[in-house]
Amino acid sequence: MVTTMKPSRPLDMNVSDIPTFVVALAIAHAQEHGVPPERLLSGTGLNLDDIKNAGILISFRQAATIIRRMVRAIPDEPAGLAVGAKGALGSFGILGLAMLSSINIREAVAIGLTHHKEAGSLMDFSSELRGDEFAFILHERFPQPELLPFLCEEALSSIISLLRLALGEQVAPRRVEFSYAPPSYAEACGRFFQCPVHFGRAANRMVLDAALLDIPLTTSSPAILASSLKASVQALPVAEPMPDLVTSVESVLRGNLRERPTMTRVAAELNITERTLRRGLEAAGQSFSGIRDRLLERQARLLLEQPGQPIAAIAVELGFSDAREFRRAFHRWTGEAPSRFRQELPRADSE
């Protein structure tokens, strides 16, 4: 029996739809080897605060750029194994908690196959049950030959780490198979998985004893399972994901709202020309000024919700020359004055 999870919409490597969990662990691993985050993030439109923000989504293109730079900076290093083993809950986030709260491994696997993208996975998964063997099979979302070892090793090492967290360190696959040639650290793969590891095979997969599927979990909790699954789904935006060029512009502007960086400066930070930036935004149905105004309005609303903040101080914080200019802009965005918006806010002592 084979179970495959199909994408809900056509794949686009430039769409920001991936949580940053795995990329954050990769950057932390690179830092441990003396590689500064700025070297990995340059030109991606992202900064370290973005990567640490669980509410930020990035594109596969951005993730691949960061990981490619890490792999090149520390060659011959089993980075995928290290990142996947950093902590199963670190890789899977809230989804890992949901899986550990399942009735048994079978239910945990079903949850993981259904919701793995919510944990920031960079590979797609299917499962296969044949006789007394159960296998996790990996599928490339976008072909990336240079990154394939990292992506496969990170995915399978995070899965086995979660199984060991649930059932004990003695858990080992029957065998692991990779489609690529043996890397220089091939022996480290055998030590980590504690089983035969084969390279140059037809598929990327990890085969386990099917009897593991029906082992009950001592950490099972229906209440935690329900709440963590709900939180995992709610962590992703309801709106259609934006192209990564738009989210990259938002990231640069968000960190410099008071300075009001120009399109020329933003384009330079993204390592593209201003003309390319303008055309890209037009293709996405966006404009530079529209993105800037959207961010300014959002920040203005947040600041106005703080009762101790004078409107004049908010105007300065947002880069306006004076309170009058800010009032005009806020009225243009919302159709009402800042003072009116503040008056309509719920009182802290209201029921």
Side-chain angles (χ1 to χ4, degrees), residues 88-89 92-113 115-116 119 136 158-159 162-163 166 217 219-221 224-225 228-229:
L89 289 180
F92 283 95
I94 300 173
L95 179 60
L97 181 60
M99 294 169 71
L100 290 175
S101 303
S102 302
I103 296 173
N104 54 27
I105 296 298
R106 188 183 299 275
E107 184 180 51
V109 167
I111 289 171
L113 287 173
H115 297 279
H116 69 91
F136 288 101
S158 62
I159 291 173
L162 193 65
L163 285 172
L217 294 179
T219 52
S220 175
S221 170
I224 294 177
L225 172 60
S228 53
L229 271 182

PDB file of all heavy atoms in Angstrom, residues 88-89 92-113 115-116 119 136 158-159 162-163 166 217 219-221 224-225 228-229:
ATOM      1  N   ALA A  88      14.353  16.845  17.308  1.00  0.00           N
ATOM      2  CA  ALA A  88      13.209  16.549  16.443  1.00  0.00           C
ATOM      3  C   ALA A  88      12.135  17.610  16.551  1.00  0.00           C
ATOM      4  O   ALA A  88      11.531  18.011  15.563  1.00  0.00           O
ATOM      5  CB  ALA A  88      12.640  15.177  16.801  1.00  0.00           C
ATOM      6  N   LEU A  89      11.904  18.096  17.756  1.00  0.00           N
ATOM      7  CA  LEU A  89      10.867  19.125  17.909  1.00  0.00           C
ATOM      8  C   LEU A  89      11.319  20.430  17.278  1.00  0.00           C
ATOM      9  O   LEU A  89      10.487  21.226  16.829  1.00  0.00           O
ATOM     10  CB  LEU A  89      10.545  19.329  19.391  1.00  0.00           C
ATOM     11  CG  LEU A  89       9.793  18.167  20.053  1.00  0.00           C
ATOM     12  CD1 LEU A  89       9.515  18.479  21.514  1.00  0.00           C
ATOM     13  CD2 LEU A  89       8.488  17.875  19.328  1.00  0.00           C
ATOM     14  N   PHE A  92      10.414  19.817  13.569  1.00  0.00           N
ATOM     15  CA  PHE A  92       8.994  19.664  13.279  1.00  0.00           C
ATOM     16  C   PHE A  92       8.123  20.726  13.934  1.00  0.00           C
ATOM     17  O   PHE A  92       6.960  20.882  13.574  1.00  0.00           O
ATOM     18  CB  PHE A  92       8.510  18.283  13.733  1.00  0.00           C
ATOM     19  CG  PHE A  92       8.902  17.179  12.804  1.00  0.00           C
ATOM     20  CD1 PHE A  92      10.041  16.429  13.033  1.00  0.00           C
ATOM     21  CD2 PHE A  92       8.144  16.882  11.687  1.00  0.00           C
ATOM     22  CE1 PHE A  92      10.412  15.405  12.179  1.00  0.00           C
ATOM     23  CE2 PHE A  92       8.500  15.864  10.817  1.00  0.00           C
ATOM     24  CZ  PHE A  92       9.642  15.121  11.070  1.00  0.00           C
ATOM     25  N   GLY A  93       8.660  21.452  14.927  1.00  0.00           N
ATOM     26  CA  GLY A  93       7.876  22.492  15.572  1.00  0.00           C
ATOM     27  C   GLY A  93       6.642  21.942  16.267  1.00  0.00           C
ATOM     28  O   GLY A  93       6.668  20.856  16.860  1.00  0.00           O
ATOM     29  N   ILE A  94       5.532  22.674  16.172  1.00  0.00           N
ATOM     30  CA  ILE A  94       4.286  22.267  16.818  1.00  0.00           C
ATOM     31  C   ILE A  94       3.802  20.943  16.262  1.00  0.00           C
ATOM     32  O   ILE A  94       3.199  20.135  16.967  1.00  0.00           O
ATOM     33  CB  ILE A  94       3.214  23.360  16.625  1.00  0.00           C
ATOM     34  CG1 ILE A  94       3.680  24.674  17.249  1.00  0.00           C
ATOM     35  CG2 ILE A  94       1.887  22.940  17.238  1.00  0.00           C
ATOM     36  CD1 ILE A  94       2.763  25.848  16.954  1.00  0.00           C
ATOM     37  N   LEU A  95       4.079  20.684  14.981  1.00  0.00           N
ATOM     38  CA  LEU A  95       3.663  19.425  14.375  1.00  0.00           C
ATOM     39  C   LEU A  95       4.302  18.240  15.092  1.00  0.00           C
ATOM     40  O   LEU A  95       3.658  17.198  15.275  1.00  0.00           O
ATOM     41  CB  LEU A  95       4.038  19.407  12.895  1.00  0.00           C
ATOM     42  CG  LEU A  95       3.681  18.139  12.128  1.00  0.00           C
ATOM     43  CD1 LEU A  95       2.177  17.891  12.160  1.00  0.00           C
ATOM     44  CD2 LEU A  95       4.181  18.222  10.691  1.00  0.00           C
ATOM     45  N   GLY A  96       5.555  18.361  15.511  1.00  0.00           N
ATOM     46  CA  GLY A  96       6.212  17.294  16.245  1.00  0.00           C
ATOM     47  C   GLY A  96       5.500  16.986  17.552  1.00  0.00           C
ATOM     48  O   GLY A  96       5.357  15.822  17.936  1.00  0.00           O
ATOM     49  N   LEU A  97       5.027  18.017  18.226  1.00  0.00           N
ATOM     50  CA  LEU A  97       4.272  17.824  19.468  1.00  0.00           C
ATOM     51  C   LEU A  97       2.977  17.072  19.181  1.00  0.00           C
ATOM     52  O   LEU A  97       2.585  16.177  19.942  1.00  0.00           O
ATOM     53  CB  LEU A  97       3.972  19.180  20.111  1.00  0.00           C
ATOM     54  CG  LEU A  97       3.205  19.165  21.431  1.00  0.00           C
ATOM     55  CD1 LEU A  97       3.970  18.384  22.486  1.00  0.00           C
ATOM     56  CD2 LEU A  97       2.941  20.587  21.907  1.00  0.00           C
ATOM     57  N   ALA A  98       2.328  17.420  18.072  1.00  0.00           N
ATOM     58  CA  ALA A  98       1.097  16.722  17.694  1.00  0.00           C
ATOM     59  C   ALA A  98       1.373  15.245  17.428  1.00  0.00           C
ATOM     60  O   ALA A  98       0.624  14.362  17.878  1.00  0.00           O
ATOM     61  CB  ALA A  98       0.488  17.385  16.462  1.00  0.00           C
ATOM     62  N   MET A  99       2.462  14.963  16.725  1.00  0.00           N
ATOM     63  CA  MET A  99       2.785  13.572  16.401  1.00  0.00           C
ATOM     64  C   MET A  99       3.095  12.769  17.661  1.00  0.00           C
ATOM     65  O   MET A  99       2.676  11.621  17.797  1.00  0.00           O
ATOM     66  CB  MET A  99       3.958  13.535  15.426  1.00  0.00           C
ATOM     67  CG  MET A  99       3.609  14.140  14.059  1.00  0.00           C
ATOM     68  SD  MET A  99       5.047  14.411  12.996  1.00  0.00           S
ATOM     69  CE  MET A  99       5.484  12.722  12.583  1.00  0.00           C
ATOM     70  N   LEU A 100       3.808  13.377  18.607  1.00  0.00           N
ATOM     71  CA  LEU A 100       4.128  12.688  19.860  1.00  0.00           C
ATOM     72  C   LEU A 100       2.898  12.491  20.745  1.00  0.00           C
ATOM     73  O   LEU A 100       2.907  11.663  21.655  1.00  0.00           O
ATOM     74  CB  LEU A 100       5.198  13.459  20.627  1.00  0.00           C
ATOM     75  CG  LEU A 100       6.603  13.456  20.013  1.00  0.00           C
ATOM     76  CD1 LEU A 100       7.531  14.364  20.801  1.00  0.00           C
ATOM     77  CD2 LEU A 100       7.164  12.037  19.949  1.00  0.00           C
ATOM     78  N   SER A 101       1.833  13.250  20.472  1.00  0.00           N
ATOM     79  CA  SER A 101       0.601  13.129  21.252  1.00  0.00           C
ATOM     80  C   SER A 101      -0.384  12.141  20.631  1.00  0.00           C
ATOM     81  O   SER A 101      -1.491  11.967  21.133  1.00  0.00           O
ATOM     82  CB  SER A 101      -0.070  14.510  21.377  1.00  0.00           C
ATOM     83  OG  SER A 101       0.802  15.451  21.970  1.00  0.00           O
ATOM     84  N   SER A 102       0.022  11.485  19.542  1.00  0.00           N
ATOM     85  CA  SER A 102      -0.839  10.535  18.846  1.00  0.00           C
ATOM     86  C   SER A 102      -1.007   9.255  19.659  1.00  0.00           C
ATOM     87  O   SER A 102      -0.267   8.986  20.606  1.00  0.00           O
ATOM     88  CB  SER A 102      -0.242  10.198  17.479  1.00  0.00           C
ATOM     89  OG  SER A 102      -0.067  11.361  16.704  1.00  0.00           O
ATOM     90  N   ILE A 103      -1.978   8.431  19.237  1.00  0.00           N
ATOM     91  CA  ILE A 103      -2.233   7.169  19.920  1.00  0.00           C
ATOM     92  C   ILE A 103      -1.075   6.202  19.718  1.00  0.00           C
ATOM     93  O   ILE A 103      -0.610   5.549  20.651  1.00  0.00           O
ATOM     94  CB  ILE A 103      -3.545   6.533  19.410  1.00  0.00           C
ATOM     95  CG1 ILE A 103      -4.738   7.422  19.768  1.00  0.00           C
ATOM     96  CG2 ILE A 103      -3.732   5.129  19.976  1.00  0.00           C
ATOM     97  CD1 ILE A 103      -6.047   6.956  19.157  1.00  0.00           C
ATOM     98  N   ASN A 104      -0.601   6.117  18.489  1.00  0.00           N
ATOM     99  CA  ASN A 104       0.497   5.210  18.165  1.00  0.00           C
ATOM    100  C   ASN A 104       1.285   5.780  16.980  1.00  0.00           C
ATOM    101  O   ASN A 104       0.958   6.848  16.460  1.00  0.00           O
ATOM    102  CB  ASN A 104      -0.020   3.795  17.873  1.00  0.00           C
ATOM    103  CG  ASN A 104      -1.103   3.794  16.793  1.00  0.00           C
ATOM    104  OD1 ASN A 104      -1.137   4.683  15.935  1.00  0.00           O
ATOM    105  ND2 ASN A 104      -1.991   2.811  16.837  1.00  0.00           N
ATOM    106  N   ILE A 105       2.315   5.051  16.562  1.00  0.00           N
ATOM    107  CA  ILE A 105       3.167   5.527  15.473  1.00  0.00           C
ATOM    108  C   ILE A 105       2.387   5.620  14.167  1.00  0.00           C
ATOM    109  O   ILE A 105       2.610   6.536  13.363  1.00  0.00           O
ATOM    110  CB  ILE A 105       4.386   4.601  15.299  1.00  0.00           C
ATOM    111  CG1 ILE A 105       5.266   4.640  16.559  1.00  0.00           C
ATOM    112  CG2 ILE A 105       5.213   5.014  14.086  1.00  0.00           C
ATOM    113  CD1 ILE A 105       5.850   6.007  16.870  1.00  0.00           C
ATOM    114  N   ARG A 106       1.446   4.727  13.948  1.00  0.00           N
ATOM    115  CA  ARG A 106       0.649   4.761  12.721  1.00  0.00           C
ATOM    116  C   ARG A 106      -0.090   6.099  12.595  1.00  0.00           C
ATOM    117  O   ARG A 106      -0.089   6.725  11.531  1.00  0.00           O
ATOM    118  CB  ARG A 106      -0.347   3.601  12.705  1.00  0.00           C
ATOM    119  CG  ARG A 106      -1.091   3.444  11.379  1.00  0.00           C
ATOM    120  CD  ARG A 106      -2.117   2.315  11.485  1.00  0.00           C
ATOM    121  NE  ARG A 106      -1.494   1.037  11.785  1.00  0.00           N
ATOM    122  CZ  ARG A 106      -0.982   0.214  10.873  1.00  0.00           C
ATOM    123  NH1 ARG A 106      -1.044   0.548   9.589  1.00  0.00           N
ATOM    124  NH2 ARG A 106      -0.440  -0.929  11.241  1.00  0.00           N
ATOM    125  N   GLU A 107      -0.721   6.531  13.696  1.00  0.00           N
ATOM    126  CA  GLU A 107      -1.434   7.810  13.660  1.00  0.00           C
ATOM    127  C   GLU A 107      -0.452   8.969  13.510  1.00  0.00           C
ATOM    128  O   GLU A 107      -0.718   9.931  12.784  1.00  0.00           O
ATOM    129  CB  GLU A 107      -2.269   7.992  14.927  1.00  0.00           C
ATOM    130  CG  GLU A 107      -3.100   9.264  14.906  1.00  0.00           C
ATOM    131  CD  GLU A 107      -3.940   9.446  16.166  1.00  0.00           C
ATOM    132  OE1 GLU A 107      -3.368   9.342  17.283  1.00  0.00           O
ATOM    133  OE2 GLU A 107      -5.145   9.697  16.035  1.00  0.00           O
ATOM    134  N   ALA A 108       0.696   8.871  14.168  1.00  0.00           N
ATOM    135  CA  ALA A 108       1.706   9.924  14.066  1.00  0.00           C
ATOM    136  C   ALA A 108       2.207  10.069  12.624  1.00  0.00           C
ATOM    137  O   ALA A 108       2.383  11.180  12.116  1.00  0.00           O
ATOM    138  CB  ALA A 108       2.875   9.622  15.000  1.00  0.00           C
ATOM    139  N   VAL A 109       2.410   8.947  11.948  1.00  0.00           N
ATOM    140  CA  VAL A 109       2.858   8.967  10.558  1.00  0.00           C
ATOM    141  C   VAL A 109       1.809   9.621   9.671  1.00  0.00           C
ATOM    142  O   VAL A 109       2.128  10.449   8.798  1.00  0.00           O
ATOM    143  CB  VAL A 109       3.179   7.540  10.072  1.00  0.00           C
ATOM    144  CG1 VAL A 109       3.346   7.512   8.558  1.00  0.00           C
ATOM    145  CG2 VAL A 109       4.428   7.004  10.754  1.00  0.00           C
ATOM    146  N   ALA A 110       0.538   9.256   9.891  1.00  0.00           N
ATOM    147  CA  ALA A 110      -0.540   9.834   9.083  1.00  0.00           C
ATOM    148  C   ALA A 110      -0.591  11.352   9.252  1.00  0.00           C
ATOM    149  O   ALA A 110      -0.774  12.097   8.275  1.00  0.00           O
ATOM    150  CB  ALA A 110      -1.877   9.211   9.479  1.00  0.00           C
ATOM    151  N   ILE A 111      -0.414  11.819  10.481  1.00  0.00           N
ATOM    152  CA  ILE A 111      -0.418  13.262  10.743  1.00  0.00           C
ATOM    153  C   ILE A 111       0.778  13.921  10.058  1.00  0.00           C
ATOM    154  O   ILE A 111       0.659  14.978   9.433  1.00  0.00           O
ATOM    155  CB  ILE A 111      -0.395  13.520  12.263  1.00  0.00           C
ATOM    156  CG1 ILE A 111      -1.742  13.125  12.873  1.00  0.00           C
ATOM    157  CG2 ILE A 111      -0.079  14.991  12.562  1.00  0.00           C
ATOM    158  CD1 ILE A 111      -1.753  13.146  14.387  1.00  0.00           C
ATOM    159  N   GLY A 112       1.946  13.298  10.161  1.00  0.00           N
ATOM    160  CA  GLY A 112       3.141  13.863   9.543  1.00  0.00           C
ATOM    161  C   GLY A 112       3.031  13.954   8.032  1.00  0.00           C
ATOM    162  O   GLY A 112       3.409  14.960   7.421  1.00  0.00           O
ATOM    163  N   LEU A 113       2.487  12.914   7.403  1.00  0.00           N
ATOM    164  CA  LEU A 113       2.343  12.928   5.951  1.00  0.00           C
ATOM    165  C   LEU A 113       1.367  14.003   5.490  1.00  0.00           C
ATOM    166  O   LEU A 113       1.542  14.619   4.443  1.00  0.00           O
ATOM    167  CB  LEU A 113       1.868  11.553   5.456  1.00  0.00           C
ATOM    168  CG  LEU A 113       2.895  10.426   5.492  1.00  0.00           C
ATOM    169  CD1 LEU A 113       2.226   9.100   5.143  1.00  0.00           C
ATOM    170  CD2 LEU A 113       4.050  10.698   4.546  1.00  0.00           C
ATOM    171  N   HIS A 115       0.538  16.874   7.215  1.00  0.00           N
ATOM    172  CA  HIS A 115       0.834  18.246   7.633  1.00  0.00           C
ATOM    173  C   HIS A 115       2.314  18.622   7.553  1.00  0.00           C
ATOM    174  O   HIS A 115       2.696  19.681   8.066  1.00  0.00           O
ATOM    175  CB  HIS A 115       0.362  18.448   9.086  1.00  0.00           C
ATOM    176  CG  HIS A 115      -1.111  18.296   9.278  1.00  0.00           C
ATOM    177  ND1 HIS A 115      -2.004  19.304   8.988  1.00  0.00           N
ATOM    178  CD2 HIS A 115      -1.846  17.249   9.722  1.00  0.00           C
ATOM    179  CE1 HIS A 115      -3.236  18.895   9.259  1.00  0.00           C
ATOM    180  NE2 HIS A 115      -3.173  17.651   9.704  1.00  0.00           N
ATOM    181  N   HIS A 116       3.162  17.815   6.903  1.00  0.00           N
ATOM    182  CA  HIS A 116       4.607  18.067   6.988  1.00  0.00           C
ATOM    183  C   HIS A 116       5.017  19.433   6.448  1.00  0.00           C
ATOM    184  O   HIS A 116       5.990  20.026   6.912  1.00  0.00           O
ATOM    185  CB  HIS A 116       5.388  16.959   6.272  1.00  0.00           C
ATOM    186  CG  HIS A 116       5.232  16.936   4.787  1.00  0.00           C
ATOM    187  ND1 HIS A 116       6.070  17.614   3.938  1.00  0.00           N
ATOM    188  CD2 HIS A 116       4.328  16.323   3.985  1.00  0.00           C
ATOM    189  CE1 HIS A 116       5.699  17.421   2.693  1.00  0.00           C
ATOM    190  NE2 HIS A 116       4.646  16.643   2.688  1.00  0.00           N
ATOM    191  N   ALA A 119       5.559  22.282   8.845  1.00  0.00           N
ATOM    192  CA  ALA A 119       6.786  22.284   9.644  1.00  0.00           C
ATOM    193  C   ALA A 119       7.979  22.797   8.852  1.00  0.00           C
ATOM    194  O   ALA A 119       9.107  22.759   9.341  1.00  0.00           O
ATOM    195  CB  ALA A 119       7.070  20.871  10.162  1.00  0.00           C
ATOM    196  N   PHE A 136       9.370   5.211   4.430  1.00  0.00           N
ATOM    197  CA  PHE A 136       9.185   6.625   4.097  1.00  0.00           C
ATOM    198  C   PHE A 136       9.938   6.869   2.789  1.00  0.00           C
ATOM    199  O   PHE A 136      11.127   6.548   2.686  1.00  0.00           O
ATOM    200  CB  PHE A 136       9.771   7.540   5.169  1.00  0.00           C
ATOM    201  CG  PHE A 136       8.994   7.574   6.449  1.00  0.00           C
ATOM    202  CD1 PHE A 136       9.417   6.836   7.551  1.00  0.00           C
ATOM    203  CD2 PHE A 136       7.844   8.342   6.565  1.00  0.00           C
ATOM    204  CE1 PHE A 136       8.708   6.875   8.740  1.00  0.00           C
ATOM    205  CE2 PHE A 136       7.129   8.390   7.749  1.00  0.00           C
ATOM    206  CZ  PHE A 136       7.560   7.649   8.838  1.00  0.00           C
ATOM    207  N   SER A 158      15.633  13.728  10.696  1.00  0.00           N
ATOM    208  CA  SER A 158      14.642  14.333  11.590  1.00  0.00           C
ATOM    209  C   SER A 158      13.532  13.336  11.910  1.00  0.00           C
ATOM    210  O   SER A 158      13.032  13.291  13.041  1.00  0.00           O
ATOM    211  CB  SER A 158      14.062  15.608  10.974  1.00  0.00           C
ATOM    212  OG  SER A 158      13.378  15.339   9.769  1.00  0.00           O
ATOM    213  N   ILE A 159      13.159  12.493  10.934  1.00  0.00           N
ATOM    214  CA  ILE A 159      12.118  11.483  11.179  1.00  0.00           C
ATOM    215  C   ILE A 159      12.605  10.452  12.186  1.00  0.00           C
ATOM    216  O   ILE A 159      11.900  10.128  13.157  1.00  0.00           O
ATOM    217  CB  ILE A 159      11.715  10.796   9.864  1.00  0.00           C
ATOM    218  CG1 ILE A 159      10.970  11.773   8.956  1.00  0.00           C
ATOM    219  CG2 ILE A 159      10.831   9.581  10.145  1.00  0.00           C
ATOM    220  CD1 ILE A 159      10.691  11.227   7.568  1.00  0.00           C
ATOM    221  N   LEU A 162      12.764  11.851  15.672  1.00  0.00           N
ATOM    222  CA  LEU A 162      11.456  11.944  16.321  1.00  0.00           C
ATOM    223  C   LEU A 162      11.005  10.562  16.799  1.00  0.00           C
ATOM    224  O   LEU A 162      10.451  10.430  17.895  1.00  0.00           O
ATOM    225  CB  LEU A 162      10.433  12.535  15.357  1.00  0.00           C
ATOM    226  CG  LEU A 162       9.106  12.969  15.982  1.00  0.00           C
ATOM    227  CD1 LEU A 162       9.321  14.120  16.959  1.00  0.00           C
ATOM    228  CD2 LEU A 162       8.108  13.384  14.909  1.00  0.00           C
ATOM    229  N   LEU A 163      11.255   9.528  16.001  1.00  0.00           N
ATOM    230  CA  LEU A 163      10.901   8.166  16.421  1.00  0.00           C
ATOM    231  C   LEU A 163      11.694   7.761  17.656  1.00  0.00           C
ATOM    232  O   LEU A 163      11.158   7.112  18.573  1.00  0.00           O
ATOM    233  CB  LEU A 163      11.179   7.183  15.273  1.00  0.00           C
ATOM    234  CG  LEU A 163      10.186   7.206  14.114  1.00  0.00           C
ATOM    235  CD1 LEU A 163      10.688   6.328  12.966  1.00  0.00           C
ATOM    236  CD2 LEU A 163       8.806   6.742  14.573  1.00  0.00           C
ATOM    237  N   ALA A 166      10.288   9.310  20.663  1.00  0.00           N
ATOM    238  CA  ALA A 166       9.033   8.681  21.080  1.00  0.00           C
ATOM    239  C   ALA A 166       9.234   7.281  21.658  1.00  0.00           C
ATOM    240  O   ALA A 166       8.571   6.908  22.629  1.00  0.00           O
ATOM    241  CB  ALA A 166       8.075   8.604  19.886  1.00  0.00           C
ATOM    242  N   LEU A 217       2.007   5.067  22.070  1.00  0.00           N
ATOM    243  CA  LEU A 217       2.905   6.109  22.582  1.00  0.00           C
ATOM    244  C   LEU A 217       2.528   6.460  24.013  1.00  0.00           C
ATOM    245  O   LEU A 217       1.361   6.747  24.311  1.00  0.00           O
ATOM    246  CB  LEU A 217       2.811   7.353  21.701  1.00  0.00           C
ATOM    247  CG  LEU A 217       3.317   7.189  20.264  1.00  0.00           C
ATOM    248  CD1 LEU A 217       3.139   8.496  19.491  1.00  0.00           C
ATOM    249  CD2 LEU A 217       4.771   6.770  20.244  1.00  0.00           C
ATOM    250  N   THR A 219       3.299   9.074  25.397  1.00  0.00           N
ATOM    251  CA  THR A 219       3.050  10.522  25.422  1.00  0.00           C
ATOM    252  C   THR A 219       1.704  10.894  24.807  1.00  0.00           C
ATOM    253  O   THR A 219       1.412  12.075  24.614  1.00  0.00           O
ATOM    254  CB  THR A 219       4.171  11.253  24.650  1.00  0.00           C
ATOM    255  OG1 THR A 219       4.310  10.657  23.351  1.00  0.00           O
ATOM    256  CG2 THR A 219       5.495  11.152  25.387  1.00  0.00           C
ATOM    257  N   SER A 220       0.891   9.890  24.491  1.00  0.00           N
ATOM    258  CA  SER A 220      -0.396  10.139  23.837  1.00  0.00           C
ATOM    259  C   SER A 220      -1.295  11.043  24.684  1.00  0.00           C
ATOM    260  O   SER A 220      -1.433  10.859  25.896  1.00  0.00           O
ATOM    261  CB  SER A 220      -1.112   8.806  23.578  1.00  0.00           C
ATOM    262  OG  SER A 220      -2.397   9.026  23.049  1.00  0.00           O
ATOM    263  N   SER A 221      -1.909  12.028  24.042  1.00  0.00           N
ATOM    264  CA  SER A 221      -2.830  12.951  24.700  1.00  0.00           C
ATOM    265  C   SER A 221      -3.775  13.530  23.663  1.00  0.00           C
ATOM    266  O   SER A 221      -3.364  14.374  22.864  1.00  0.00           O
ATOM    267  CB  SER A 221      -2.074  14.075  25.415  1.00  0.00           C
ATOM    268  OG  SER A 221      -2.985  15.077  25.852  1.00  0.00           O
ATOM    269  N   ILE A 224      -3.873  17.433  23.796  1.00  0.00           N
ATOM    270  CA  ILE A 224      -2.690  18.101  23.246  1.00  0.00           C
ATOM    271  C   ILE A 224      -2.632  17.906  21.733  1.00  0.00           C
ATOM    272  O   ILE A 224      -2.265  18.821  20.986  1.00  0.00           O
ATOM    273  CB  ILE A 224      -1.412  17.571  23.910  1.00  0.00           C
ATOM    274  CG1 ILE A 224      -1.394  17.955  25.398  1.00  0.00           C
ATOM    275  CG2 ILE A 224      -0.171  18.103  23.205  1.00  0.00           C
ATOM    276  CD1 ILE A 224      -0.205  17.414  26.155  1.00  0.00           C
ATOM    277  N   LEU A 225      -3.031  16.722  21.264  1.00  0.00           N
ATOM    278  CA  LEU A 225      -3.048  16.463  19.831  1.00  0.00           C
ATOM    279  C   LEU A 225      -3.959  17.460  19.111  1.00  0.00           C
ATOM    280  O   LEU A 225      -3.562  18.079  18.118  1.00  0.00           O
ATOM    281  CB  LEU A 225      -3.522  15.036  19.566  1.00  0.00           C
ATOM    282  CG  LEU A 225      -3.778  14.659  18.101  1.00  0.00           C
ATOM    283  CD1 LEU A 225      -2.508  14.822  17.277  1.00  0.00           C
ATOM    284  CD2 LEU A 225      -4.303  13.238  18.006  1.00  0.00           C
ATOM    285  N   SER A 228      -2.533  21.182  19.416  1.00  0.00           N
ATOM    286  CA  SER A 228      -1.295  21.421  18.669  1.00  0.00           C
ATOM    287  C   SER A 228      -1.539  21.367  17.157  1.00  0.00           C
ATOM    288  O   SER A 228      -0.937  22.137  16.404  1.00  0.00           O
ATOM    289  CB  SER A 228      -0.204  20.419  19.069  1.00  0.00           C
ATOM    290  OG  SER A 228      -0.666  19.093  18.969  1.00  0.00           O
ATOM    291  N   LEU A 229      -2.432  20.492  16.713  1.00  0.00           N
ATOM    292  CA  LEU A 229      -2.776  20.477  15.288  1.00  0.00           C
ATOM    293  C   LEU A 229      -3.455  21.776  14.888  1.00  0.00           C
ATOM    294  O   LEU A 229      -3.173  22.339  13.830  1.00  0.00           O
ATOM    295  CB  LEU A 229      -3.701  19.292  14.980  1.00  0.00           C
ATOM    296  CG  LEU A 229      -3.037  17.970  14.612  1.00  0.00           C
ATOM    297  CD1 LEU A 229      -4.098  16.935  14.292  1.00  0.00           C
ATOM    298  CD2 LEU A 229      -2.091  18.133  13.443  1.00  0.00           C
TER     299      LEU A 229
END
